Amino acid sequence: MAAPDGKAGETDCKSLDELGARIDAARQQLDGPKREKTTKYKTLNRAWQMVVELVVSVVVGGCIGYALDWAFGTLPLFLVIFGGFGFAAGIKTILATARGFIDEDDTASP
Amino acid sequence: MAKEAVEGELNIDPMHQFDIKYFFDIDLGIANIGFTNSALFAFIAVAAIVVFLWSAVSGHSLVPSRMQSVAESIYEFVRNMVRDTAGDEALKYFPYIFTVFIFILACNLIGMIPYSFTVTSHFAVTVFLALSVFISVTVIGFLKHGMHFFSFFWPAQAPAALRPVLCIIEVISYLARPISHSIRLGANMMAGHAVLKVIGAFAGASALLVVPSVLGIVGLTALEVLVAVLQAYVFTILTCVYLNDALNLH
Amino acid sequence: MEGDIANMGKYIGAGLAAIGMGGAGIGVGTIAGNFLAGALRNPAAAQGQTPMLFVGIALAEALGIFSFLVALLLLFAV
């Protein structure tokens, strides 16, 4: 009767592990929506922040270009060039911001 | 808030609450530096901070009272934020960052009281705050690194042909910082208060809408308190990030 | 009379520029919809790609805001 006993103990252990896993899963399910609620506002804020960064970069670049044009009297030239530079700067900024989000999520989630 | 509001009509006037009113004028010809409601509420915020911190630490017992532990936890929160994002070296500038944080926090929270005025919803205020951070951070960078500070803009690991273009891009994104820094705070505060006022206008439009709009205002007010604290935090942590860039040059 | 025609052109131009906001709406909808479709097929990979979703949304929305800026410039600056 030793073998079935051992087997029974094993299954007990297994079922306990399973129970633990199920409790963890249920707890996560319970916690999950709560965490979602707090991060929903945060994600909206992030998206809006990136839009502002991109637009501001292009506008600043455009202003610099317009000032150069005003100084040299070559109106559309530098405006267009520096608008492009501003766009590139904006892309760079929002990529850096996105990288910051990845780091933040990595440190926050585990 | 409009005096000529007629019952049963939709009177949406969300921007009225941001009007600047002069209590008295001091006209210098180029500018009017009279006392405004904005200045009044900025003074109220400063007075509230002074009273709060003074009363919190006047007992200074080893086992903190409730007020003292609130003040101490705010202090420690900002101090840890500065140290984590900008390193130990930045603790020299901690008093300034703490001042910025607690001033914005007090202005945002005082703005949440009905019939009061939100100082930080005006771009004149937020642009000033962001520009002072920008200029002081740039000066700190130059004082620490001298002319070597320009290497911040010079991407040394990029291909040689691309470097001048990337340098211009870096300069533009550096110059764009104070603007996006200030717009984020000002637009968040202004938009939140305007939305509250619009929802409030629905309540005056018809009796059917009173209950849902009051419930909506309660929910939005809770959200706005969260936004007020969060935006003060975001402004401060961005200040720390910029300070870190100036001190450590990436 | 000349001023009137110039004003008319200004307002028509501003209205046409505001159509660009609709384009931004289409773009953001496409990005979010495609992200959701992809995320539902492979939910495990979705978490890592959310920053890229925001980059895409920011790009699309920024272009819409540029057209809005052009409309504002036409209305108030030109």
Side-chain angles (χ1 to χ4, degrees):
Chain A
M1 283 307 233
D5 252 18
K7 211 175 185 185
E10 224 169 63
T11 50
D12 261 9
C13 251
K14 211 181 254 173
S15 67
L16 269 183
D17 280 351
E18 269 173 19
L19 189 63
R22 268 168 58 195
I23 288 173
D24 279 352
R27 198 168 277 160
Q28 251 178 7
Q29 260 185 351
L30 274 180
D31 285 355
K34 215 184 240 172
R35 215 176 293 149
E36 277 288 294
K37 226 174 217 171
T38 49
T39 54
K40 204 171 264 174
Y41 172 73
K42 216 171 162 188
T43 47
L44 191 69
N45 203 29
R46 286 171 174 184
W48 184 237
Q49 172 188 338
M50 285 174 155
V51 174
V52 168
E53 275 168 355
L54 185 51
V55 172
V56 162
S57 293
V58 176
V59 170
V60 166
C63 285
I64 294 172
Y66 191 79
L68 284 177
D69 279 334
W70 176 79
F72 299 128
T74 52
L75 185 57
L77 180 65
F78 283 110
L79 183 64
V80 173
I81 294 175
F82 274 77
F85 283 161
F87 193 72
I91 302 277
K92 185 195 144 278
T93 315
I94 64 172
L95 282 178
T97 316
R99 216 173 295 129
F101 293 165
I102 296 174
D103 292 348
E104 205 175 283
D105 285 347
D106 281 353
T107 51
S109 51
Chain B
M1 225 47 54
K3 295 274 190 317
E4 64 279 6
V6 185
E7 188 104 6
E9 263 182 43
L10 196 54
N11 296 295
I12 298 183
D13 189 9
M15 303 319 269
H16 184 75
Q17 58 179 327
F18 302 120
D19 280 356
I20 298 275
K21 296 182 200 73
Y22 280 92
F23 294 126
F24 56 83
D25 293 345
I26 305 172
D27 211 339
L28 294 182
I30 46 167
N32 188 349
I33 57 162
F35 198 69
T36 63
N37 52 355
S38 175
L40 174 69
F41 276 95
F43 275 114
I44 289 176
V46 172
I49 295 164
V50 170
V51 167
F52 165 64
L53 289 179
W54 199 284
S55 67
V57 296
S58 59
H60 65 275
S61 54
L62 193 61
V63 180
S65 62
R66 287 195 200 109
M67 288 286 271
Q68 192 183 339
S69 68
V70 169
E72 277 179 4
S73 53
I74 293 176
Y75 181 93
E76 237 165 67
F77 173 71
V78 179
R79 194 184 153 85
N80 286 340
M81 185 161 71
V82 173
R83 204 178 42 211
D84 291 348
T85 45
D88 285 324
E89 206 183 347
L91 284 178
K92 261 192 295 187
Y93 310 107
F94 165 72
Y96 175 63
I97 294 171
F98 183 76
T99 311
V100 166
F101 174 75
I102 204 157
F103 178 70
I104 294 173
L105 185 66
C107 288
N108 287 353
L109 288 180
I110 284 173
M112 286 314 298
I113 300 168
Y115 293 97
S116 71
F117 182 87
T118 319
V119 182
T120 44
S121 67
H122 274 268
F123 288 113
V125 176
T126 58
V127 166
F128 169 74
L129 285 169
L131 267 185
S132 62
V133 167
F134 176 74
I135 292 171
S136 49
V137 160
T138 310
V139 168
I140 286 169
F142 272 113
L143 283 182
K144 177 149 189 280
H145 300 284
M147 286 300 122
H148 189 63
F149 182 66
F150 283 114
S151 72
F152 181 64
F153 302 117
W154 193 252
Q157 65 270 52
L162 276 175
R163 276 180 209 165
V165 176
L166 288 178
C167 179
I168 294 173
I169 289 172
E170 290 281 344
V171 171
I172 290 176
S173 70
Y174 190 74
L175 291 178
R177 272 174 178 187
I179 303 175
S180 65
H181 197 185
S182 58
I183 283 179
R184 195 168 305 147
L185 175 63
N188 265 297
M189 298 316 294
M190 187 199 264
H193 286 258
V195 166
L196 278 182
K197 194 55 64 102
V198 169
I199 306 280
F202 286 147
S206 91
L208 274 178
L209 286 173
V210 169
V211 173
S213 60
V214 166
L215 287 179
I217 285 177
V218 171
L220 275 175
T221 308
L223 183 69
E224 279 307 305
V225 173
L226 176 71
V227 171
V229 178
L230 197 78
Q231 287 305 317
Y233 168 72
V234 166
F235 193 94
T236 319
I237 202 156
L238 281 173
T239 305
C240 294
V241 168
Y242 298 161
L243 186 61
N244 180 39
D245 281 351
L247 285 175
N248 301 325
L249 300 180
H250 290 306
Chain C
M1 200 59 200
E2 272 170 29
D4 286 343
I5 289 175
N7 266 336
M8 188 185 79
K10 220 157 76 173
Y11 290 134
I12 292 175
L16 287 177
I19 294 174
M21 294 292 287
I26 296 171
V28 171
T30 311
I31 292 167
N34 280 336
F35 176 78
L36 197 58
L40 287 176
R41 280 174 196 223
N42 188 359
Q47 195 63 41
Q49 295 305 316
T50 33
M52 292 322 286
L53 167 74
F54 288 126
V55 170
I57 286 182
L59 276 174
E61 189 58 45
L63 295 177
I65 287 182
F66 291 139
S67 65
F68 179 61
L69 274 183
V70 169
L72 283 184
L73 281 177
L74 281 172
L75 278 182
F76 299 114
V78 177

